[in-house]
Amino acid sequence: MRIKTKTIILLTLMFTLYGAVNFCIQYFIMFPRFVSLEEGEARKDMQRVIKAIKSETGHLDSLCHDWAAWDDTYDYITNVFREYEESNLQISTFVDNNINLLFLVNIEGRVIWGEIRDSETKEPVRLDQFDPANFGENQPFLLFEFKGRSFAEVSNKGVIMTERGPMLVSSRPILKSGNEGPVRGALLMGRFVDSNKIAELITQVNVAFNVLPVDCKISTEQNEAWIKKFIASGKEVDVFVKSKTINLVYGVINDIQGKPVILLQAEIPREISQKGAESIQYSLIMILIALFLVLVIVVLILQKTIINPTVLLTRLVLSIQKTADLRNRLTVNRKDEIGMLQQEFNNLLEQLALTRKRLLEQSYYSGMSEMVRGILHNIRNSLNPVAAQLELLSQKLSFSRRGKIQQAQDEFVRSDIDPQRKEELAQYILLSNQSMMDLLEKSKQKADQITLGIRLIERILDNHEKWAHQEQPVEIIKVKSLIESSLSMLDKEKVKIITFVLDPNMSEQITVKGYEILLKQVVDNIVLNAIEAIDRFNQKEGIISFRSKTFDMEGKAMVDIEISDNGDGLSAVALEKIFKRGYSSKKQQASGIGLHWCSNTLQSMNGKLTVESNGVGQGCRFHLILPEGCEMHKDNV
């Protein structure tokens, strides 16, 4: 198969795969998000409707409370008198307060006065639920829950379904104006949720909806079965996908006894998902067009720049193989990589006599390359288990249940907790602590394995260290800028109790010769060790100071950079071993290579690292000695 054919097939497969992946992402990840957003907005619309109806119920309840907690009503229910009826129980009361029902019932459940009026004609109407002959002490409107509540907070309010449609109802105990008892009866108010009220609510919430009985017949069996399941689920709002263009969102409102009584229905156009689908389709079409154009352009470019010159080169090689004639040459008229290849091939023919020497050189460099590949292979093999252990350790630690354990402990110490619950919490805390102990033990084991892996990598690097020694350019480094740069990279939260003091007499002109990146790492290491020393010593206010001075050492100008702290200090034994490989003064496990590496690094710069301490608890003073005016011995690097 020719290269051109292979190239076209490969690019076609690659672009087809890209298009398929993009299609799957658009339709299985992006489009469901549009649908979810659309359903969420539909739920919000219905929740606004429910909230508006509940708000109307609340307003009616406030009006009912004003009438029920009134001395005139209190006197009327006890001693019926016409003056109250003539002043308050007239048709104007229904019109002005926009109510359809007003009942006053005494403590025995007998209706003292009651009327129901039509919303349009204002004429009296009759409802079976409010037949005065059926009222009694067990009427749900008259059963108030007083336990733990003040008189002002006691009410029965909600929605009921009547033969004339849904009605908002509120009942309040009849009290004196100061919400004082004893209770003399109950006052009921009602307001029909008729077409006018629904239109008013639609204008208020900007959502067109219908009010239906919960047992109403729905157009399709599928929709009816879904509604029954929705009502039984106890959800307040849910969405039914009617078609590709319409969502039906339903809401349920319970009556005074907590049973579903009315069903709210709203048709919401599926504009979001439609626009999302259109955007996805346009996007896919543009991607397909772009991929086709890219395919054509890439094939044409490859044909001209790579395939045609490769064909010419192949023909020449076959000709030389057949005729052994080295006089033929390629015509070089390009300056890119292909032109260079043609020129190099021509040079190869002219230099055929030097093949043996070049093969020997190539053998040498191949050996070097093989050695480097071996080193990298060994390091990679050592890093793989270390990386795996670190990832596993991270996963184990991320599943810590510290927050839940703290929550259980807080609940356990509460005085009002149930004994059985307290016993369950104690068992949970015990098991959780055991689980955390097991996790810590396993984490320690993983950390030990990671340390072994790191030690193995160090040994590999030590074995091949001679191949890593390369000459680096010497840099002139400003001491003050070096210290300020190091301090600027520290974690502010970690050093909030540390005060860093730079000698005000430190000159901007004091410089040293060395390698800036390595020297910054040395300063970082010493500063971090000082922070840890202060933290171990539990100092309330840590101080790390920086000074610098120039001096003469054996006829050479040197600079002494002093870094001191008020941490836990070093013993005499620790001072002797502090720069030895593998030694660490930290109580927790540490590698012990930090200060050892720092010391070796300064020696490679013709300097040295020293430390002073007056003993445990007396802090430390590190001295970084580096050359100022003399040349460095590059053989040390």
Side-chain angles (χ1 to χ4, degrees):
M1 187 180 292
R2 299 176 61 185
I3 294 178
K4 180 178 180 180
T5 305
K6 290 182 179 180
T7 303
I8 294 175
I9 293 174
L10 180 61
L11 290 176
T12 302
L13 290 175
M14 182 177 66
F15 290 156
T16 302
L17 178 61
Y18 173 79
V21 171
N22 188 274
F23 175 83
C24 293
I25 292 174
Q26 296 282 358
Y27 272 94
F28 295 104
I29 297 179
M30 299 304 298
F31 185 70
R33 293 186 179 181
F34 283 103
V35 174
S36 177
L37 175 63
E38 182 177 67
E39 292 181 355
E41 292 299 320
R43 288 187 176 91
K44 289 180 181 179
D45 289 342
M46 181 53 67
Q47 286 169 351
R48 290 205 311 273
V49 173
I50 294 174
K51 185 177 180 181
I53 293 176
K54 291 181 178 180
S55 177
E56 286 291 326
T57 306
H59 294 159
L60 180 65
D61 184 60
S62 297
L63 178 63
C64 183
H65 178 236
D66 292 341
W67 277 68
W70 185 23
D71 288 342
D72 289 358
T73 305
Y74 192 85
D75 293 339
Y76 173 76
I77 204 68
T78 305
N79 304 305
V80 178
F81 50 94
R82 294 186 57 82
E83 289 81 359
Y84 180 86
E85 295 178 0
E86 294 174 353
S87 299
N88 302 290
L89 304 179
Q90 300 296 321
I91 189 172
S92 59
T93 300
F94 291 84
V95 175
D96 294 342
N97 294 291
N98 191 22
I99 61 175
N100 302 96
L101 178 145
L102 179 60
F103 269 57
L104 287 91
V105 184
N106 66 11
I107 195 67
E108 290 83 16
R110 184 169 60 87
V111 177
I112 303 301
W113 191 93
E115 280 188 1
I116 306 172
R117 292 186 175 270
D118 184 82
S119 299
E120 297 291 337
T121 65
K122 304 304 178 183
E123 293 297 323
V125 295
R126 183 179 177 279
L127 295 177
D128 292 341
Q129 293 97 322
F130 295 94
D131 186 353
N134 295 330
F135 262 69
E137 294 181 357
N138 294 326
Q139 186 68 242
F141 304 109
L142 307 179
L143 299 177
F144 298 106
E145 180 62 45
F146 292 97
K147 186 177 180 180
R149 302 164 67 186
S150 66
F151 284 141
E153 297 172 337
V154 175
S155 71
N156 290 324
K157 60 182 177 180
V159 182
I160 63 172
M161 181 59 70
T162 71
E163 57 263 39
R164 298 179 67 90
M167 173 183 280
L168 307 179
V169 178
S170 173
S171 66
R172 286 274 186 166
I174 296 178
L175 305 166
K176 296 179 181 179
S177 295
N179 288 308
E180 299 175 352
V183 176
R184 293 302 185 187
L187 187 143
L188 282 71
M189 281 189 177
R191 183 180 294 158
F192 284 121
V193 184
D194 53 17
S195 58
N196 292 332
K197 177 53 67 174
I198 292 175
E200 180 183 334
L201 291 173
I202 289 175
T203 303
Q204 180 180 339
V205 299
N206 198 25
V207 177
F209 66 95
N210 297 318
V211 179
L212 308 170
V214 291
D215 56 352
C216 66
K217 297 296 182 180
I218 307 300
S219 58
T220 64
E221 294 182 1
Q222 180 184 8
N223 195 1
E224 185 173 354
W226 183 90
I227 289 176
K228 291 180 179 179
K229 184 178 179 181
F230 161 61
I231 294 174
S233 68
K235 296 180 180 178
E236 187 180 48
V237 176
D238 208 348
V239 178
F240 176 79
V241 180
K242 180 180 180 181
S243 65
K244 292 182 178 181
T245 58
I246 296 295
N247 275 336
L248 293 179
V249 56
Y250 289 94
V252 171
I253 294 183
N254 298 330
D255 61 11
I256 293 178
Q257 295 177 323
K259 298 178 181 179
V261 61
I262 62 173
L263 187 68
L264 304 176
Q265 181 195 65
E267 286 193 1
I268 307 296
R270 300 188 63 185
E271 296 176 351
I272 296 178
S273 60
Q274 288 178 327
K275 292 186 181 299
E278 291 174 0
S279 300
I280 291 173
Q281 291 175 357
Y282 293 148
S283 173
L284 290 175
I285 292 172
M286 294 304 298
I287 289 174
L288 291 177
I289 294 174
L291 291 179
F292 177 76
L293 293 176
V294 169
L295 176 62
V296 173
I297 293 172
V298 169
V299 170
L300 292 177
I301 293 175
L302 289 176
Q303 176 73 31
K304 183 176 181 179
T305 60
I306 296 178
I307 297 176
N308 289 343
T310 304
V311 170
L312 293 176
L313 180 60
T314 303
R315 290 175 181 173
L316 179 58
V317 171
L318 292 176
S319 175
I320 293 173
Q321 181 182 4
K322 184 177 181 179
T323 63
D325 187 356
L326 300 178
R327 292 175 298 175
N328 294 329
R329 294 288 185 273
L330 292 171
T331 302
V332 180
N333 54 10
R334 298 169 54 170
K335 296 182 179 180
D336 57 7
E337 288 81 2
I338 297 297
M340 293 173 60
L341 177 61
Q342 293 171 335
Q343 183 62 47
E344 289 301 321
F345 186 78
N346 291 337
N347 293 339
L348 179 63
L349 295 177
E350 295 173 357
Q351 298 177 8
L352 188 59
L354 302 176
T355 300
R356 181 180 297 274
K357 180 179 178 181
R358 292 183 178 180
L359 286 175
L360 290 175
E361 293 177 352
Q362 183 66 32
S363 176
Y364 169 76
Y365 289 115
S366 296
M368 292 291 294
S369 175
E370 186 66 28
M371 182 188 70
V372 172
R373 284 198 299 270
I375 296 172
L376 295 176
H377 177 73
N378 291 337
I379 293 177
R380 188 179 296 108
N381 288 342
S382 300
L383 279 176
N384 285 338
V386 171
Q389 295 294 343
L390 284 172
E391 182 178 1
L392 185 58
L393 179 59
S394 175
Q395 293 175 357
K396 288 181 177 295
L397 293 178
S398 66
F399 287 109
S400 173
R401 296 177 291 182
R402 179 177 55 190
K404 292 184 178 180
I405 295 174
Q406 182 62 47
Q407 182 180 355
Q409 290 175 343
D410 294 341
E411 185 177 355
F412 181 81
V413 299
R414 285 170 42 192
S415 59
D416 58 342
I417 191 171
D418 181 72
Q420 182 179 355
R421 175 62 175 168
K422 190 167 187 178
E423 183 179 353
E424 292 173 352
L425 289 174
Q427 184 67 18
Y428 174 80
I429 293 171
L430 179 61
L431 292 176
S432 298
N433 287 339
Q434 182 62 41
S435 175
M436 292 296 290
M437 292 298 294
D438 293 342
L439 177 60
L440 290 175
E441 180 62 25
K442 292 179 181 178
S443 299
K444 180 180 181 300
Q445 295 173 2
K446 297 298 180 184
D448 293 339
Q449 295 174 1
I450 292 171
T451 301
L452 291 177
I454 293 174
R455 294 288 173 81
L456 177 60
I457 294 172
E458 290 177 4
R459 289 198 297 270
I460 293 173
L461 293 175
D462 288 342
N463 290 336
H464 302 282
E465 186 176 7
K466 61 181 180 179
W467 302 107
H469 285 176
Q470 299 180 359
E471 181 176 344
Q472 301 182 32
V474 178
E475 300 170 277
I476 303 300
I477 308 163
K478 291 185 178 182
V479 173
K480 190 171 182 179
S481 298
L482 174 70
I483 296 172
E484 291 174 346
S485 174
S486 178
L487 295 181
S488 66
M489 301 300 293
L490 293 175
D491 186 353
K492 304 302 182 184
E493 184 66 22
K494 189 174 182 180
V495 299
K496 61 183 179 181
I497 64 168
I498 306 295
T499 300
F500 297 96
V501 180
L502 271 70
D503 185 0
N505 296 322
M506 183 182 296
S507 174
E508 294 278 357
Q509 305 305 319
I510 296 181
T511 59
V512 294
K513 288 186 177 181
Y515 312 126
E516 184 173 3
I517 294 178
L518 294 178
L519 190 55
K520 185 178 182 301
Q521 292 176 354
V522 171
V523 174
D524 290 346
N525 198 325
I526 294 174
V527 171
L528 289 176
N529 283 346
I531 293 173
E532 293 174 357
I534 292 171
D535 183 64
R536 289 195 301 270
F537 196 49
N538 294 324
Q539 284 280 26
K540 294 183 179 179
E541 183 177 0
I543 299 175
I544 300 178
S545 302
F546 300 86
R547 298 180 180 85
S548 65
K549 64 179 181 179
T550 57
F551 67 101
D552 186 84
M553 185 176 70
E554 298 178 356
K556 298 179 181 179
M558 306 294 287
V559 175
D560 179 9
I561 305 173
E562 179 183 314
I563 304 175
S564 61
D565 63 75
N566 61 342
D568 58 0
L570 294 170
S571 64
V573 175
L575 284 173
E576 295 179 359
K577 301 179 179 180
I578 193 66
F579 297 121
K580 291 185 178 180
R581 181 181 180 84
Y583 178 80
S584 175
S585 62
K586 303 174 184 178
K587 294 182 180 180
Q588 65 270 30
Q589 186 176 3
S591 63
I593 64 172
L595 291 178
H596 171 76
W597 176 85
C598 292
S599 178
N600 289 343
T601 299
L602 262 64
Q603 288 180 21
S604 72
M605 302 179 192
N606 283 342
K608 64 179 180 178
L609 178 63
T610 64
V611 62
E612 299 174 340
S613 178
N614 295 331
V616 177
Q618 301 299 316
C620 290
R621 294 180 301 280
F622 282 87
H623 296 272
L624 286 69
I625 311 298
L626 289 164
E628 182 192 37
C630 60
E631 290 294 331
M632 299 179 58
H633 300 296
K634 298 177 182 177
D635 293 339
N636 292 340
V637 182

